[in-house]
Amino acid sequence: MSDIGNSVIDHALWRASVRQRLATWFRRNARDLPWRANPTPYHVWVSEVMLQQTQVATVVDYFNRFIARFPTVKSLALADESELMKIWEGLGYYRRARMMHQAAMQIVENHDGVFPVDFKSVLALPGIGRYTAGAILSISTDAKLPIVEGNTVRVFSRWTAMQSDVKGREGVEQLWKIAEAMLPRTGTGRFNQAAMELGALLCKPIAPACDKCPVASLCEAKRLGLQDSIPGKVTKMVYEDRREFAFIVPVLGRDGWLVCRVPKGERWAGLWDFPRVTDQTTHQPADAARTLSRRLGVELSHNERLIGLKHAVTRFRISLDVHLTDPVEAEGISLAATDYQIVSAAELTAIPLSITGRRIAKWLAGWSSPK
C-alpha cells in the first residue's frame, strides 16, 4: 500500500475497527430487499444490472416481476425479446436488458445454463465488468473480491481522505487497492453490501449524515473537515434542449393507430413508438410530417397539436409535440411488415413502448380518434 502513502489503510487495527462498526450498523439498518433474501448468482446479477443508473426504490418491483417471469437463466435465454423489453419497459437504458439476454444465451451454451462462479468466466459475459463480476461473486458465494462503484467511491475516499481525482487513472487504481485492503477474511459479501449501503443511506454525495455514521470517528475526511469536498464537487448535469415531433396516425377502416419499431442505433431501439422525428434540423410540424411521409410511404397531414410532453434522456431535455394526422390507407405503408403495427388503445398495453410512447398511449386510452 506504499503508493497510497502513510494512509490509515495501512493499519490493521483501524481496518478491523471500521469493519466491526460497519457490520454492526448493517445488521441493524440493512434494507429488506428481495435480492438479499435469496442471493443466488442469478438474482444478484439481475439486481446489479437493474441498479445501474436506477434507484433502489424503482428497481424492487421490476426485480420481482422479472424473477417471476424469468426464474432461471434458461428461461431468460429462451425469452422473446419483445416480451423481455415489455418487462423492462420504464427502467430505461434498454441495452442492459439486451446484454443480459445475450449473456443468458452464452451461459446456456457454455455453462449448461448454470451461472458460472469463477471470476474469469463471469467477466467474459456480455455487459459484465470488474465491479459487477465482483459484486455477483462476493455477495452470492463470499468470494474475496473488492468492488468499486458510486457509493463505495465516496465511502472509501472519505474514510482515507483520498484527494486524488476519483475518475482519473491514479485515483481509480488507489480506490481498488483500498477496496481490496478493506476486505475481511470471511464475510466479504456482507462487507461489500454494507459499504454500498452506507454510501446509499448516509455517506451521500452532498451533506453526508456524519452524525449518524457508525464510522465517523474513524473517518479521516471527517477528522480533517473534508467530508464535503471529498471525493470532489458534484457536477450538475447540463442539459441540451431539444424539440421533437410525434404523430398519432389513424388508419382507415381500422380501430387503431400506427406504431413503428424503433430502428437499431436509435434511442429506445427495438421498442415500439408512435411515428416520430428527432432530427434537430426539423423545426416545424409541417416539415416533420413531410419527413415521416417519405419514411412511411403515406401522406401525413399535421392537424391539431393534441398534447405536449417534456422529459429528459441522458443529457437531453426534450419537448415533444404530439399531433394528430388525417387517417391513412394501411396498404400504402411502405415499411417492412415486421416494423409496424396498427393497434388499438387496449392493444397498446401489451407491447413494449418507449417512455413517452407509453405516456401517449395512456393519454389515448381516454381519447377517441375520428373515424
Side-chain angles (χ1 to χ4, degrees):
M1 302 303 295
S2 58
D3 54 346
I4 297 180
N6 295 321
S7 169
V8 291
I9 201 74
D10 294 315
H11 301 284
L13 181 60
W14 178 88
R15 297 196 304 271
S17 298
V18 169
R19 293 187 200 110
Q20 182 179 27
R21 293 188 188 186
L22 183 66
T24 300
W25 174 84
F26 188 62
R27 282 197 300 272
R28 297 170 179 170
N29 297 277
R31 287 171 291 184
D32 183 15
L33 301 174
W35 46 89
R36 288 177 176 164
N38 183 23
T40 65
Y42 177 60
H43 287 178
V44 178
W45 174 45
V46 173
S47 69
E48 286 296 331
V49 173
M50 286 186 170
L51 286 165
Q52 295 167 11
Q53 308 293 328
T54 310
Q55 296 293 320
V56 169
T58 301
V59 167
V60 170
D61 287 342
Y62 278 95
F63 176 85
N64 288 332
R65 286 194 295 269
F66 192 97
I67 294 300
R69 177 59 190 87
F70 308 118
T72 64
V73 173
K74 289 182 179 179
S75 62
L76 176 57
L78 294 171
D80 177 78
E81 183 173 303
S82 179
E83 184 182 8
L84 177 59
M85 291 297 102
K86 176 61 181 171
I87 292 285
W88 198 272
E89 184 186 310
L91 266 180
Y93 301 95
Y94 291 88
R95 185 172 181 271
R96 296 180 294 175
R98 295 191 183 89
M99 296 295 278
M100 286 183 67
H101 198 201
Q102 293 174 25
M105 290 187 283
Q106 187 170 309
I107 293 170
V108 168
E109 182 177 354
N110 298 335
H111 304 283
D112 296 323
V114 178
F115 199 99
V117 290
D118 65 283
F119 185 76
K120 185 177 179 180
S121 295
V122 175
L123 198 60
L125 296 173
I128 294 182
R130 182 180 180 183
Y131 155 68
T132 304
I136 293 169
L137 295 179
S138 69
I139 294 171
S140 66
T141 72
D142 205 33
K144 195 173 181 180
L145 293 168
I147 60 172
V148 172
E149 46 79 60
N151 289 312
T152 57
V153 164
R154 293 192 303 280
V155 168
F156 296 151
S157 62
R158 284 171 175 160
W159 282 354
T160 60
M162 190 192 95
Q163 297 185 62
S164 302
D165 179 4
V166 296
K167 293 186 178 179
R169 179 177 179 181
E170 180 184 351
V172 170
E173 289 178 355
Q174 286 188 5
L175 283 166
W176 280 104
K177 289 177 181 178
I178 293 169
E180 187 168 9
M182 287 303 305
L183 293 178
R185 289 189 177 89
T186 60
T188 296
R190 293 284 291 178
F191 171 82
N192 283 338
Q193 290 181 86
M196 289 191 288
E197 195 84 331
L198 189 73
L201 299 183
L202 300 181
C203 199
K204 296 185 177 183
I206 299 175
C210 298
D211 58 322
K212 299 179 182 178
C213 178
V215 191
S217 64
L218 299 172
C219 176
E220 283 293 281
K222 172 65 174 173
R223 183 179 70 82
L224 297 170
L226 298 174
Q227 66 271 22
D228 292 321
S229 60
I230 293 177
K233 293 182 179 179
V234 178
T235 57
K236 290 185 177 180
M237 173 68 74
V238 177
Y239 287 102
E240 177 184 328
D241 291 328
R242 297 172 66 96
R243 187 183 182 194
E244 299 178 359
F245 300 91
F247 292 84
I248 296 173
V249 183
V251 179
L252 287 170
R254 303 284 292 273
D255 180 22
W257 300 276
L258 178 67
V259 293
C260 305
R261 190 190 300 273
V262 181
K264 290 183 179 179
E266 294 189 11
R267 186 197 321 144
W268 299 316
L271 301 182
W272 294 88
D273 200 3
F274 294 88
R276 181 189 300 241
V277 172
T278 61
D279 183 358
Q280 291 306 287
T281 63
T282 303
H283 304 292
Q284 299 297 327
D287 298 329
R290 282 192 289 270
T291 296
L292 282 174
S293 295
R294 292 190 295 270
R295 187 186 305 170
L296 302 178
V298 289
E299 192 69 27
L300 296 186
S301 57
H302 64 286
N303 295 338
E304 61 181 304
R305 176 180 177 273
L306 296 178
I307 52 173
L309 302 176
K310 293 185 181 295
H311 68 115
V313 178
T314 58
R315 61 185 179 89
F316 301 115
R317 189 162 47 200
I318 300 170
S319 295
L320 178 66
D321 291 335
V322 183
H323 290 259
L324 176 68
T325 75
D326 291 333
V328 301
E329 293 277 1
E331 292 75 13
I333 299 171
S334 60
L335 295 175
T338 54
D339 290 336
Y340 76 93
Q341 297 184 61
I342 300 165
V343 292
S344 65
E347 292 169 333
L348 282 169
T349 62
I351 63 174
L353 291 170
S354 69
I355 293 174
T356 46
R358 180 59 61 198
R359 290 173 67 184
I360 295 171
K362 288 180 179 178
W363 184 87
L364 280 172
W367 179 84
S368 296
S369 66
K371 298 297 188 288

